[in-house]
Amino acid sequence: MCARMAGRAAAAAPRGPRGPWLCLLVALALDIVRVVCDQEPLDPIYLPATLELLDAPEHFRVQRVGHYPPANSSLGSRSETFLLLQPWPRAQPLLRASYPPYATQQVVPPRVTEPHQRPVPWDVRAVSVEAAVTPAEPHARVLFHLKGQDWPPGPGSLPCARLHAIHPAGTAHRACRFQPSLGACVVELEFPSHWFSRGSATRAELAYTLEPAAEGPGGCGPGGEEDPREQALPVGDVELRPADPPPYQEVPLDEAVTLRVPDVPVRPGQLFSATLLLRHNFTAGVLTLRIKVKKGLHVTAARPAQPTLWTAKLDRFKGSKHHTTLITCHRAGPTGPDPSSPLELSEFLWVDFLVENGTSGGVAVTRPVTWQLEYPGQAPEAEKDKMVWEILVSERDVRALVPLAKTEELVNTAPLTGVPRRVPVRLVTVDSAGALVEVTEHIGCESANTQVLQVSEACDAVFVAGKESWGARGVRVDFWWRRLRASLRLTVWAPLLPLRIELTDTTLEQVRGWRVPGPAEGAAEPEAAAAVEEAERRARGCRLQYQRAGVRFLAAFAARPLDGGRRLTHLLGPDWLLDVSHLVAPHAHVLDPRVASLEGGRVLVGREPGVTSIEVRSPLSDSILGEQALAVTDDKVSVLELQVQPVMGISLALSRGTAHPGEVTATCWAQSALPAPKQEVALSLWLSFSDHTLAPAELYDHRDLGLSVSAEEPGAILPAEERGAQLRVVVSGAGTEGLPLHVALHPPELCRRGRHRVPLASGTAWLGVPPAPTPAPARPSSPARSSPATEASIGGERRAAGSAGGNGGVRAKFERAEEEAREEEAEAREEEEEEEEEMVPAPQRVTDLELGMYALLGIFCLAIVIFLVNGVVFVLRYQRKEPPDSATDPASPQPHNWVWLGTDQEELSRQLDRQSPGPPKGDGSCPCESRGVGEALTLTQAPAGATTSSLSTLARKEAGGRRKRVEFVTFAPAPPVQPPEEPVGAPAVQSILVAGEEDIRWVCEDMGLKDPEELRSYMERIRGSS
């Protein structure tokens, strides 16, 4: 990685006028990076053994963020953490660790439950049916359910659940055995009567324990007398009340009359009553009540609550389907003064009903009863109103409706796979005798939050389809059947997007000297010419080998709280990720398959130089679930060494975690003791590259690996049967101090040239413990420098190994002199360089990104060239331009130009006013000449002490008149004191040639110069000065 960073920084070094300085800074930065990289440790390694769970319905591999593999992994060990979500099935799950030909497995330890952190082999849900009990009904009923699966009928090993009631007055116990196929049972525990004798409400704690079933009619033992608080699991508490009125419902028939009916199911043959309540301000003298019932239900009597005030007459009318009963009530006497509120209700009439026997047929049914009220003074809209009351008739005394689910935790993987996740639900009723009956008809259900969890139309399952927005804890799903209602709460874990795609190496580089069979990308295979050139043809048919990387797709799962807050609760914790590679691998692909390819969803293979990315697309919406950029470069890396770990057995240890009840950590390690004779030994190989990366040999195709194993002792090893990329040998014998094995990596046989090739890398492994006094021998850099006596290899060059004088496949080494070995090594290197020159390189493909970068670079260069040409032209154009006179002195300020508009007379008057009173000699006169040639110069001198200025006037005048003219005046500061030869007060004069004799004459006349001699001398001075 550091080499890649240095290469990118060097490629990005600027080149320009400041390029040398910036390049120096880049070089210093690269030195710093190189120092840091030298101190950077290599990637963590682990034993590439396979860890898998068997007989587990649903599980995931999990890892901490940035901690894969775990810190306790090494070349000879590996740790993996699993999360088991579904409860245990009939057989407990097994965890298997294998590194062929060795394997071992263990039973996963049971879950640890709160509050005592005791392992419990069963996942049990306990539901208390009653919240309160009375002396009339002193029974507490608790339903126990084994989650996880459907239990088939027949003999099994289902346990017993024992319920413990703990009260200040004593304790009580009773047990039940789980029955198939529901995997549930109900304990009906009767409380002693003296627990209710305190006169006030008290509470009893309920807890349970699990115990194995016993032989006998009940299937459960009598139970011990030990304190249940030490090992029992809590259920809840129940309230003990001295008395409790029967439950009822009140329904208003109109504003004055209210109906009170019992709110419990009735049984066939049972007699029950309904009560009519009348407000105190009711003034009507007659009240008629019409009751319509179906067959199987009869009105037996109507009894006034106050016979002295009201009388009741009962009339029955039978029909084919309905029976109608007419009850007429008359006021018997006047009502006395009532001090109570007129809106209070008082009992007015009792109506008795009788349920016929055998009407329900063993199934709970409802019997509708229609009530209609009539009396004088009733509101007109209320006369036609009818109230229907349904009576639930059941042969069983049903006490509760309980939904049973296989699990109360759901991991929503539907957005990743497109496959809905379902949790089956079964509804059962619990009656007073403790019997369980499943109900499948007349069921209603509804999810409290359809954006998290949905329920099926048949109410037999809850599910997530992949369109849900988020996850939540304790999502409620309501169920109802007849008058009974129940709720089921589940926790839904939803994935947090985007997915995290982890690559063991994001930049795949070309491996130096390693070629594999197959045509080069973009190059055609050469045609075979003759049998003599077969080796060269095969060598030219090999392509370059690029590095490979392992791929893992990870996701964090979280749930929101019930109150709708934004604080997320993560599954296992915020620093834990679930490995979902087995779910999203079918939907993952490389954006540019010419650059790299994804094999088996787990291995990234470089193909040709370029930049691309791995994408995971949703199977539901085709949106991108995760993306990771990668690069394949033509920079060459070398395989520095092989790290070898002998495996002569596998050991496994399991432990339970504390973050989740289903967390299991497995650790396996290789056994590398001294092998027995004829024992097969597997060798685990890791490739260490020069870019500070490590890769197991399992990432590469076994056909691309040419591996050879050699030992110093003759006949010490034999080749084992080839199975994939793993290297195995059979040890025929080893000394008591251990046996060193030398492993070398070569290109495949098809891509080799010459009989002697320098290996790509080599490494040494010790079977047993090396002797303490002597250090381990140095790893040979090539087979020509090592001294093993036997060798076994795989990867296209398998030879049987035996003794030194036995089979022809055994090669005796280190029998040559050191000089010969050096000569052969140099010769092999020369052959390698020649072969590299003969290799036909694949044409480099220019990507769209490179084209865009080149276009931008060209535009920038063109802009720089235009800017430089512009600057050169500007310098050449203005370098010879002379500055004005006023600019000769750097200290003089910039002159200012003024434009004046006025008449000629005004200008001449202003100039005369500026002259001094006494005209100097030869300077103050203005000679004029009437026949001048059209040129005149007006000289003005500033008064003494004033700022010297240069005044230039262009005047034109037509014959016989005066005209306006424009005067350009330039004010310049007084020049510095000149040498003595120049007058100090000489003004700075800028001459302006004015054409026209009339103009000159006009100027001289205004100045008073009318003598022709004066005009002639004035004109001569003008010509001489010009």
Side-chain angles (χ1 to χ4, degrees):
M1 180 181 299
C2 295
R4 293 192 296 272
M5 290 172 56
R8 292 169 187 162
R15 293 167 177 82
R18 300 180 181 177
W21 297 102
L22 294 180
C23 289
L24 180 59
L25 293 178
V26 170
L28 294 176
L30 290 180
D31 291 338
I32 297 175
V33 171
R34 194 171 295 112
V35 171
V36 175
C37 292
D38 293 339
Q39 298 176 355
E40 179 183 351
L42 294 176
D43 293 343
I45 59 177
Y46 56 90
L47 179 69
T50 302
L51 295 172
E52 56 184 348
L53 273 169
L54 306 177
D55 297 332
E58 183 182 9
H59 66 277
F60 292 90
R61 297 176 188 264
V62 296
Q63 72 175 63
R64 290 186 180 272
V65 177
H67 290 78
Y68 186 85
N72 57 350
S73 298
S74 63
L75 187 62
S77 64
R78 181 178 186 177
S79 293
E80 288 279 359
T81 302
F82 296 87
L83 177 64
L84 283 77
L85 296 175
Q86 294 284 356
W88 297 164
R90 289 187 300 274
Q92 288 185 337
L94 299 175
L95 204 150
R96 176 183 174 88
S98 61
Y99 192 86
Y102 303 103
T104 183
Q105 62 184 19
Q106 287 187 16
V107 177
V108 176
R111 294 190 172 199
V112 176
T113 57
E114 298 288 347
H116 307 293
Q117 295 293 325
R118 256 190 340 108
V120 177
W122 305 92
D123 192 2
V124 179
R125 178 192 176 202
V127 180
S128 180
V129 176
E130 282 86 10
V133 295
T134 60
E137 289 287 341
H139 297 88
R141 301 174 184 87
V142 177
L143 181 145
F144 297 97
H145 173 229
L146 288 177
K147 296 182 291 184
Q149 67 173 27
D150 295 331
W151 302 89
S157 58
L158 296 182
C160 290
R162 185 171 298 277
L163 180 65
H164 307 272
I166 305 170
H167 190 265
T171 59
H173 312 272
R174 193 167 184 180
C176 69
R177 184 175 182 179
F178 291 95
Q179 300 295 328
S181 63
L182 294 174
C185 67
V186 176
V187 174
E188 188 176 27
L189 180 61
E190 182 178 0
F191 293 156
S193 57
H194 66 273
W195 288 14
F196 301 91
S197 60
R198 298 202 173 197
S200 60
T202 57
R203 289 189 173 274
E205 296 182 5
L206 301 180
Y208 73 96
T209 55
L210 297 177
E211 56 189 41
E215 299 294 337
C220 298
E225 298 296 333
E226 65 276 1
D227 188 3
R229 300 184 182 181
E230 297 181 359
Q231 299 181 353
L233 301 175
V235 175
D237 54 13
V238 62
E239 185 179 3
L240 281 69
R241 301 175 181 173
D244 192 16
Y248 59 85
Q249 285 183 345
E250 290 186 353
V251 181
L253 297 180
D254 68 354
E255 297 180 354
V257 183
T258 300
L259 177 64
R260 179 185 294 171
V261 293
D263 191 22
V264 292
V266 296
R267 308 182 69 178
Q270 181 179 351
L271 183 67
F272 64 93
S273 299
T275 304
L276 267 72
L277 305 176
L278 200 64
R279 294 192 183 277
H280 291 175
N281 59 355
F282 185 77
T283 58
V286 179
L287 186 145
T288 303
L289 183 64
R290 194 181 304 272
I291 304 174
K292 183 186 291 186
V293 297
K294 282 189 175 182
K295 289 184 177 180
L297 192 63
H298 301 280
V299 179
T300 59
R303 299 175 289 116
Q306 298 179 1
T308 57
L309 299 180
W310 291 90
T311 60
K313 180 182 179 182
L314 183 65
D315 296 322
R316 300 184 179 89
F317 303 94
K318 294 184 178 182
S320 59
K321 295 182 179 181
H322 298 84
H323 298 327
T324 303
T325 301
L326 186 63
I327 302 176
T328 305
C329 300
H330 294 272
R331 192 182 293 273
T335 58
D338 192 353
S340 60
S341 173
L343 299 180
E344 290 185 1
L345 296 173
S346 60
E347 294 185 355
F348 161 66
L349 183 67
W350 295 321
V351 181
D352 299 333
F353 293 85
L354 178 63
V355 182
E356 294 182 357
N357 291 324
T359 57
S360 62
V363 182
V365 295
T366 57
R367 299 296 183 185
V369 179
T370 303
W371 303 77
Q372 186 176 4
L373 189 65
E374 298 176 1
Y375 58 88
Q378 187 180 13
E381 60 275 6
E383 293 180 358
K384 299 181 180 180
D385 290 345
K386 298 179 180 180
M387 196 278 295
V388 179
W389 167 48
E390 290 185 349
I391 302 175
L392 180 63
V393 180
S394 176
E395 291 185 357
R396 299 185 301 113
D397 186 7
V398 180
R399 295 302 179 92
L401 176 70
V402 181
L404 304 180
K406 292 185 177 182
T407 181
E408 297 176 351
E409 194 174 32
L410 179 62
V411 176
N412 186 7
T413 58
L416 308 179
T417 62
V419 180
R421 295 294 314 280
R422 297 171 59 90
V423 176
V425 179
R426 306 175 74 173
L427 292 178
V428 297
T429 57
V430 182
D431 59 13
S432 58
L436 290 176
V437 177
E438 184 178 2
V439 294
T440 57
E441 297 179 352
H442 308 289
I443 303 173
C445 55
E446 182 182 11
S447 174
N449 193 342
T450 56
Q451 294 183 347
V452 178
L453 186 65
Q454 303 183 50
V455 61
S456 63
E457 295 182 358
C459 301
D460 59 349
V462 293
F463 67 95
V464 287
K467 300 294 185 180
E468 291 75 19
S469 303
W470 59 80
R473 294 178 61 89
V475 184
R476 190 183 78 254
V477 181
D478 297 324
F479 298 89
W480 57 87
W481 177 76
R482 305 299 181 185
R483 293 172 179 264
L484 302 177
R485 300 183 67 90
S487 297
L488 178 65
R489 292 188 177 272
L490 292 93
T491 297
V492 180
W493 303 100
L496 299 181
L497 300 178
L499 298 177
R500 184 188 182 103
I501 303 177
E502 284 194 357
L503 304 178
T504 56
D505 191 0
T506 57
T507 302
L508 306 182
E509 299 171 335
Q510 185 185 136
V511 183
R512 188 187 307 274
W514 191 357
R515 285 170 290 275
V516 295
E521 300 292 339
E525 295 185 10
E527 299 180 358
V532 200
E533 301 176 354
E534 181 66 21
E536 294 185 3
R537 187 193 68 81
R538 291 186 302 174
R540 290 181 179 273
C542 296
R543 58 181 173 85
L544 301 174
Q545 173 74 295
Y546 289 89
Q547 290 177 308
R548 298 191 176 193
V551 184
R552 290 188 303 275
F553 301 92
L554 308 173
F557 286 80
R560 293 185 178 181
L562 284 176
D563 55 2
R566 295 184 176 272
R567 185 175 182 180
L568 298 178
T569 302
H570 291 76
L571 181 62
L572 287 180
D575 56 342
W576 285 92
L577 300 173
L578 274 65
D579 190 345
V580 294
S581 302
H582 61 290
L583 301 177
V584 303
H587 311 290
H589 68 281
V590 179
L591 195 60
D592 190 351
R594 295 173 297 180
V595 176
S597 62
L598 196 61
E599 293 185 356
R602 296 280 188 172
V603 180
L604 182 66
V605 182
R607 297 296 181 186
E608 66 176 43
V611 178
T612 183
S613 61
I614 299 179
E615 287 184 354
V616 179
R617 290 193 172 269
S618 171
L620 299 176
S621 61
D622 200 35
S623 60
I624 297 178
L625 301 179
E627 186 176 10
Q628 174 63 48
L630 63 100
V632 180
T633 67
D634 54 0
D635 298 337
K636 292 186 178 182
V637 295
S638 302
V639 185
L640 298 181
E641 64 172 343
L642 292 180
Q643 299 189 19
V644 188
Q645 171 65 42
V647 180
M648 288 168 283
I650 290 290
S651 301
L652 179 64
L654 303 180
S655 61
R656 273 289 183 180
T658 58
H660 190 275
E663 180 186 354
V664 179
T665 299
T667 303
C668 69
W669 58 91
Q671 299 176 2
S672 57
L674 192 65
K678 305 299 181 182
Q679 181 179 356
E680 186 174 1
V681 178
L683 299 178
S684 171
L685 304 178
W686 279 78
L687 281 66
S688 177
F689 295 97
S690 58
D691 60 347
H692 295 261
T693 59
L694 292 168
E698 282 76 9
L699 289 180
Y700 295 86
D701 192 349
H702 69 281
R703 294 170 295 184
D704 300 340
L705 298 171
L707 298 172
S708 62
V709 184
S710 57
E712 297 181 2
E713 299 180 8
I717 58 173
L718 298 172
E721 182 182 356
E722 181 178 354
R723 298 175 185 175
Q726 293 176 348
L727 180 61
R728 307 178 194 173
V729 294
V730 176
V731 180
S732 59
T736 57
E737 296 181 353
L739 176 66
L741 297 180
H742 305 285
V743 183
L745 172 65
H746 297 267
E749 177 65 22
L750 295 177
C751 299
R752 299 189 201 177
R753 293 191 61 193
R755 300 179 55 186
H756 306 284
R757 284 295 304 271
V758 177
L760 298 176
S762 60
T764 303
W766 277 86
L767 301 181
V769 181
T774 60
R779 292 189 296 269
S781 60
S782 66
R785 297 181 180 178
S786 59
S787 58
T790 59
E791 178 179 344
S793 64
I794 68 171
E797 189 186 359
R798 174 167 298 281
R799 296 185 296 273
S803 62
N807 299 330
V810 180
R811 297 186 299 171
K813 300 194 176 186
F814 289 109
E815 297 178 357
R816 301 180 298 273
E818 187 66 24
E819 293 79 4
E820 297 178 0
R822 292 177 181 176
E823 291 178 0
E824 291 184 0
E825 181 179 353
E827 185 178 336
R829 290 179 179 174
E830 292 178 359
E831 292 179 357
E832 181 180 1
E833 293 176 357
E834 294 177 359
E835 183 180 357
E836 290 182 357
E837 294 178 357
E838 294 177 358
M839 289 293 295
V840 179
Q844 297 292 334
R845 185 180 60 84
V846 181
T847 62
D848 297 338
L849 179 61
E850 292 175 343
L851 289 176
M853 294 177 63
Y854 292 151
L856 289 177
L857 183 60
I859 293 174
F860 292 154
C861 293
L862 181 60
I864 292 172
V865 170
I866 293 175
F867 176 76
L868 293 177
V869 171
N870 236 359
V872 171
V873 171
F874 180 82
V875 171
L876 293 178
R877 179 179 298 177
Y878 293 101
Q879 66 180 353
R880 296 184 179 179
K881 183 178 179 181
E882 295 181 357
D885 296 338
S886 60
T888 55
D889 184 10
S892 63
Q894 182 70 21
H896 303 280
N897 296 328
W898 297 83
V899 178
W900 176 83
L901 300 178
T903 61
D904 298 337
Q905 184 63 33
E906 293 174 355
E907 171 61 16
L908 292 176
S909 300
R910 184 169 58 86
Q911 292 181 8
L912 293 176
D913 292 340
R914 290 182 180 178
Q915 294 179 356
S916 58
K921 297 180 181 180
D923 291 339
S925 61
C926 183
C928 297
E929 184 177 353
S930 60
R931 53 180 184 87
V933 292
E935 295 182 357
L937 176 64
T938 303
L939 301 177
T940 60
Q941 181 178 0
T947 304
T948 305
S949 62
S950 176
L951 175 62
S952 301
T953 305
L954 175 61
R956 294 194 177 214
K957 183 176 181 183
E958 296 182 358
R962 303 175 63 186
R963 52 187 293 186
K964 294 289 183 178
R965 58 196 179 120
V966 178
E967 178 183 359
F968 298 90
V969 182
T970 301
F971 295 94
V977 179
Q978 301 296 332
E981 62 270 13
E982 186 176 357
V984 179
V989 179
Q990 292 183 356
S991 60
I992 301 178
L993 298 179
V994 181
E997 183 180 350
E998 296 295 332
D999 293 336
I1000 297 176
R1001 182 180 295 113
W1002 170 77
V1003 172
C1004 292
E1005 290 177 357
D1006 289 343
M1007 296 177 62
L1009 302 177
K1010 298 181 180 180
D1011 189 4
E1013 292 297 333
E1014 295 179 355
L1015 290 174
R1016 185 178 299 110
S1017 61
Y1018 178 68
M1019 294 299 296
E1020 288 176 357
R1021 286 199 303 272
I1022 292 177
R1023 292 190 185 96
S1025 62
S1026 61

